[in-house]
Amino acid sequence: ARMFCDIQTPDGQPAAADPRNVLRRALAKASDRGFSFYIHPEIEFYLLKSTQLDAKGEPVPVDNAGYFDNVPGGTAHDFRRRAVSMLEQLGISVEFSHHEGGPGQNEIDLRYADALTMADNIMTFRTVIKEVAIEQGVYATFMPKPFTQHPGSGMHTHMSLFEGDTNAFFDPSSQYHLSKTAKHFIAGLLKHAPEITAVTNQYVNSYKRLWGGGEAPSFVCWGHNNRSALIRVPLYKPDKGNSSRIEYRAIDSAANPYLAYALLLNAGLKGIEEEYQLPAETEDNVWSLNDAERRAMGIQPLPQSLDHAIRKLEESELVAETLGEEVFSYVLANKRREWSEYRSQVTPFELKQNLETL
């Protein structure tokens, strides 16, 4: 069983600091414009033998399998079966599950639902994954980048707006079947992506994933079925207009889903309201371009560190309005504290590089 609560003040008003209320406000704004917001996340995580590190100071994964590998009798295979069963017993529908690209890395995709239901489901999902791992004598982590040499764990999020039973992103006569609403929504996400990144990627370690390769998006652009882009428009399936959607690839699996989804929604709605124009799509592999080529194409980078993201965040009217004064102030204070503590650390990298030579 599970239970979620809405926090209220003594006089019965929604508490300003309640993250569920932040998302409720954004959904109400969308509803006033006739939209419902639906989400489908692909949640990645690592299974480790324990929280203990090896002699090299690195975590120890439960296997050395790769993308879509099936390990007969392996921990990950049994783990996914047990986790999916428990999730479905809790009423959370699972669409796919498989081994991901890193050793011990797994992905479980939840079936689409409205954004508030999905945010609740993600919070439940994390608890279930942790509990099943403990039950099976291993450890699960949603840390964005636990290994230097292996891919980080993202939470690629598929999104769509509906007007009643009609997918507002679908237009059969348009290229890639994207409606004007969808194009404005994507343009809003692109314009505001840098300033919301401190929430969609809220930890120091998140930027090791964004800038550490492994198919993580580092630059603000969109493309049709382009996995190097921040926003991917998946291939259209004939006769399935209601499945038209876009995929935001920056968000990691450690994000606060209530705050992150509220910001993604409001960024897209801003694009619709102000009719932002969608820039040209990026057909190239963005990672293979050099800096000069990206500049010539007008492709800007996402923040390269938590400090950079905080500076973008604190200047954002969109984020301040979406989160509300109390949550906005707390997020800023919390992230500034994390960055201050991180930058004061002497890391193993510095000791290895400098101790004997300087």
Side-chain angles (χ1 to χ4, degrees):
R2 60 176 178 153
M3 180 177 68
F4 281 87
C5 298
D6 291 314
I7 303 171
Q8 297 181 341
T9 59
D11 61 357
Q13 296 301 308
D18 181 5
R20 293 184 90 238
N21 186 48
V22 171
L23 181 53
R24 280 187 189 279
R25 289 200 309 267
L27 291 172
K29 180 179 179 181
S31 179
D32 289 343
R33 289 156 178 75
F35 295 124
S36 300
F37 186 44
Y38 286 91
I39 293 292
H40 157 61
E42 303 172 353
I43 312 174
E44 298 172 346
F45 56 93
Y46 273 90
L47 290 179
L48 310 174
K49 290 186 176 179
S50 72
T51 56
Q52 300 300 309
L53 306 181
D54 64 14
K56 296 180 181 179
E58 296 182 345
V60 182
V62 297
D63 60 51
N64 288 307
Y67 190 63
F68 262 85
D69 277 356
N70 181 29
V71 186
T75 300
H77 187 72
D78 293 338
F79 175 93
R80 290 197 303 273
R81 183 189 299 116
R82 171 67 176 142
V84 169
S85 176
M86 186 179 290
L87 287 166
E88 294 193 333
Q89 287 172 13
L90 284 163
I92 299 174
S93 296
V94 173
E95 192 160 26
F96 305 112
S97 71
H98 60 86
H99 200 288
E100 253 298 334
Q105 190 181 33
N106 290 265
E107 175 179 308
I108 296 178
D109 303 351
L110 303 185
R111 189 174 296 277
Y112 82 96
D114 68 273
L116 184 61
T117 298
M118 185 56 72
D120 289 343
N121 287 350
I122 290 169
M123 299 303 289
T124 305
F125 176 93
R126 291 176 182 162
T127 300
V128 166
I129 295 302
K130 294 275 191 182
E131 290 289 346
V132 173
I134 292 170
E135 177 186 277
Q136 298 200 0
V138 295
Y139 181 78
T141 181
F142 294 95
M143 183 176 176
K145 183 76 168 171
F147 296 96
T148 300
Q149 69 274 33
H150 300 305
S153 292
M155 188 166 67
H156 300 160
T157 295
H158 297 251
M159 300 177 284
S160 56
L161 290 179
F162 272 71
E163 295 175 296
D165 295 328
T166 302
N167 190 331
F169 281 2
F170 178 65
D171 180 352
S173 64
S174 177
Q175 185 183 32
Y176 309 138
H177 301 95
L178 285 177
S179 67
K180 287 184 179 180
T181 297
K183 293 174 183 177
H184 292 320
F185 192 94
I186 296 171
L189 289 174
L190 293 174
K191 180 176 177 63
H192 297 289
E195 65 203 73
I196 69 175
T197 300
V199 175
T200 59
N201 306 81
Q202 66 167 305
Y203 296 102
V204 162
N205 184 251
S206 297
Y207 298 84
K208 306 296 175 70
R209 168 183 165 260
L210 284 182
W211 291 93
E215 292 198 358
S218 308
F219 298 92
V220 180
C221 57
W222 76 279
H224 179 239
N225 213 33
N226 185 344
R227 296 183 183 276
S228 70
L230 172 63
I231 298 173
R232 181 177 77 97
V233 178
L235 288 170
Y236 171 71
K237 297 179 181 179
D239 302 321
K240 291 191 175 182
N242 274 354
S243 68
S244 293
R245 63 198 187 278
I246 62 173
E247 178 190 28
Y248 193 84
R249 296 175 60 79
I251 185 171
D252 59 47
S253 55
N256 180 316
Y258 303 105
L259 304 186
Y261 289 161
L263 286 169
L264 289 170
L265 174 56
N266 275 357
L269 290 177
K270 190 80 167 177
I272 294 171
E273 291 164 8
E274 301 194 7
E275 298 186 346
Y276 291 173
Q277 292 306 299
L278 184 63
E281 70 168 303
T282 302
E283 298 178 356
D284 301 292
N285 182 333
V286 185
W287 300 306
S288 67
L289 302 174
N290 60 41
D291 289 342
E293 289 171 329
R294 284 190 287 262
R295 281 196 299 271
M297 296 171 68
I299 299 174
Q300 300 298 316
L302 285 171
Q304 299 181 26
S305 67
L306 181 60
D307 178 49
H308 186 191
I310 291 168
R311 284 186 269 122
K312 293 287 186 182
L313 178 77
E314 61 192 1
E315 298 171 355
S316 173
E317 293 182 10
L318 176 80
V319 177
E321 181 182 320
T322 301
L323 301 187
E325 182 179 354
E326 190 167 338
V327 175
F328 183 62
S329 297
Y330 179 81
V331 168
L332 272 176
N334 188 29
K335 295 298 100 183
R336 285 168 176 157
R337 181 172 61 251
E338 181 179 348
W339 177 252
S340 177
E341 291 173 356
Y342 172 74
R343 71 179 181 183
S344 68
Q345 298 293 313
V346 177
T347 65
F349 173 85
E350 295 166 274
L351 293 172
K352 183 179 179 180
Q353 289 289 108
N354 300 328
L355 190 62
E356 293 185 4
T357 58
L358 298 181

